Amino acid sequence: MKKKERAHIIIEILSEIYPKISVPLHHKNNFELLVAVLLSAQCTDARVNQVTPKLFKIANNPFKMQKIPPKKIYDIIKPCGLGPQKSKSINNLSKILVKKFNGNVPESFEELEKLPGVGHKTASVIMSQGFGHPAFPVDTHIHRLAQRWGLTSGKSVKQTEVDLKKLFPKDLWNKLHLQIIFY
């Protein structure tokens, strides 16, 4: 069976199992989504959703967050792991958002990826789930499944993303990314 045929079958199965899908990270705005996605590195979405309400209660926008010392951010986000680096990144990206973007999350891969703690996968999630632009965020989980399903032989998530974008219709990327994660 060819990769395109497998991809079509995967679309059908995942659409049957997960006809409607919602963003797993709880957030009320793109800043909260950005912070939640940053926290989700090496952490479960469920754990992030336990931690963020306390963090967002004291600072749910970059204007407030930039004023929170990294140590205080760390004390709240510690259960998510990698706390020292994540707390510094959250504080620093908040300062940049205020200074350079008037407190708004930028709507471009290039600008997002310049922010501390934000790599391509995080930027892809923001572009997809925050702004609704077609993106196919590939994490280790999606990378492994794509290999198991014979959709890629890529050695990196970057190559897997390229391969999956060739196989799946662009208008399905945002939903399909979430369906694969839930699967």
Side-chain angles (χ1 to χ4, degrees):
M1 184 181 300
K2 294 181 180 180
K3 287 181 184 180
K4 277 281 192 190
E5 293 169 322
R6 275 195 296 271
H8 182 71
I9 291 168
I10 289 165
I11 291 168
E12 287 180 353
I13 292 170
L14 291 177
S15 293
E16 188 177 312
I17 298 171
Y18 307 105
K20 292 187 180 186
I21 203 107
S22 59
V23 177
L25 294 170
H26 302 160
H27 65 284
K28 293 180 182 145
N29 57 53
N30 282 344
F31 175 73
E32 287 186 2
L33 178 62
L34 177 61
V35 171
V37 175
L38 192 149
L39 290 174
S40 72
Q42 306 296 312
C43 183
T44 65
D45 292 345
R47 176 64 52 105
V48 172
N49 288 335
Q50 291 172 349
V51 169
T52 52
K54 185 175 181 183
L55 180 62
F56 296 151
K57 186 175 182 179
I58 61 169
N60 66 344
N61 64 63
F63 296 98
K64 292 179 183 177
M65 192 69 76
Q66 71 175 347
K67 296 176 183 171
I68 309 296
K71 171 70 172 112
K72 186 171 183 178
I73 296 170
Y74 171 76
D75 290 341
I76 296 168
I77 68 165
K78 186 177 179 180
C80 291
L82 307 175
Q85 186 56 46
K86 288 178 182 179
S87 59
K88 289 176 194 166
S89 292
I90 291 168
N91 181 265
N92 290 330
L93 74 81
S94 296
K95 290 174 182 173
I96 293 168
L97 291 178
V98 168
K99 185 177 181 179
K100 192 172 177 184
F101 301 102
N102 196 31
N104 296 308
V105 175
E107 194 172 345
S108 83
F109 281 100
E110 183 181 356
E111 294 297 337
L112 284 166
E113 290 178 22
K114 289 179 185 175
L115 295 172
V118 177
H120 183 69
K121 185 243 174 189
T122 298
S124 294
V125 172
I126 302 308
M127 292 299 285
S128 169
Q129 298 171 9
F131 292 111
H133 296 296
F136 207 122
V138 175
D139 59 8
T140 311
H141 174 72
I142 291 175
H143 175 66
R144 280 194 217 120
L145 282 175
Q147 287 179 321
R148 276 191 201 138
W149 293 339
L151 301 177
T152 184
S153 57
K155 302 290 182 213
S156 68
V157 293
K158 190 174 186 176
Q159 183 57 52
T160 297
E161 179 182 344
V162 169
D163 293 344
L164 294 179
K165 283 180 171 181
K166 288 178 186 172
L167 290 171
F168 294 108
K170 194 174 191 174
D171 64 325
L172 296 181
W173 291 354
N174 294 355
K175 183 178 181 181
L176 194 57
H177 150 75
L178 291 171
Q179 289 171 318
I180 295 171
I181 286 179
F182 279 104
Y183 183 78

